[in-house]
Amino acid sequence: MSIIVETFDTLAEAARAIGGDGRYLGGGTLVMRAANYGDQSFRRIIRVRDQGLRRIAAAGDRIEIGAGATMADVMASRDLAFLEPVARAIGGPAVRQMATVGGNLFAAHPYGDFATALLALDGKARMADGRETPLEELLARRDGAGLVASVSIARPRDGEFRFRKVSRVKPKGVSVMAIAAWLPGAPGRIAGARVAFGAMGPAPARARAVERALEGAALDESGIARALAAATEGLDPPDDPLASAWYRREVAPVHLRRLLLEDGRR
Ligand SMILES: Cc1cc2nc3c(=O)[nH]c(=O)nc-3n(C[C@H](O)[C@H](O)[C@H](O)COP(=O)(O)OP(=O)(O)OC[C@H]3O[C@@H](n4cnc5c(N)ncnc54)[C@H](O)[C@@H]3O)c2cc1C
């Protein structure tokens, strides 16, 4: 079966044209693999030539990242220095040149490391029609969600954002799990933490029980004990060739402890 490629000037035009048999092309690291493997679920590839989709703009206490920004763009941005380790954890250099922020939101398990970080940072997706959707809602219902133009995130203060990726193959293996935390107040008492896990369910998800347990807590062994006990509450880790659900549940508190106590000292 042949595939038709259609190119549009704007995302709004692409959104109107996509229909049921079209697949939007971000950087193509997954879409082109699907096409090459003979995926029959789409017959048209929809692409947009608007370079504005790669824009990264800081304003006040938030930063807007264009959905078309690549992991390499993120790594080159001074405003996004706190996200450099997250972007660097995605694939090898060739993948990072192509892989986009928008594509990461829709990448199936076990992918989605960057989306995990954006979720912890209070990410809000700006859709092609201008609507704003909290990432938590978008990630919970990705099918038919529509096209994303950009993602706005909170700008954490120094030392407030932490990210940890657990993989069996270093440095470019896929995630057994990823954990991202925005810890307002760190290294002092925490107020309003947001903690997200990747590869611990069908899509990145917030660990709300952990967030509640961290409220008012100090980042020391006794302060985080309740959060560790609740590490996987509300999550639904899968069994897959990388790790069993049992293993993921067992090691989640170990990695959460390291993220909360050790990663802040780096
Ligand atoms: C060798 C290799 C290693 C990888 N390693 C990692 C890894 O370590 N961590 C990780 O998280 N991922 C990894 N990936 C997966 C992938 O590269 C990334 O998730 C990447 O960010 C996907 O972005 P893309 O632009 O390439 O997506 P594409 O392939 O272009 O698209 C992926 C999906 O997202 C949709 N999409 C893209 N942009 C938008 C948009 N703006 N609005 C709506 N839908 C959109 C597409 O229609 C498609 O369904 C790896 C992939 C490969 C091939």
Side-chain angles (χ1 to χ4, degrees), residues 10 17 32 94 100 114 117 142 149 163 171-172 175 199 230 237:
T10 67
M32 293 315 296
T100 65
F114 204 80
R142 293 188 285 196
F163 176 77
K172 355 183 246 191
S175 285

Side-chain angles (χ1 to χ4, degrees), residues 23-24 26-31 89 91 99-100 103-104 106-107 111-113 148 165:
R23 182 73 55 90
Y24 183 75
T29 57
L30 298 175
V31 170
T100 65
N104 205 264
F106 292 88
Y111 298 143
D113 298 325
V148 175
K165 172 169 170 169

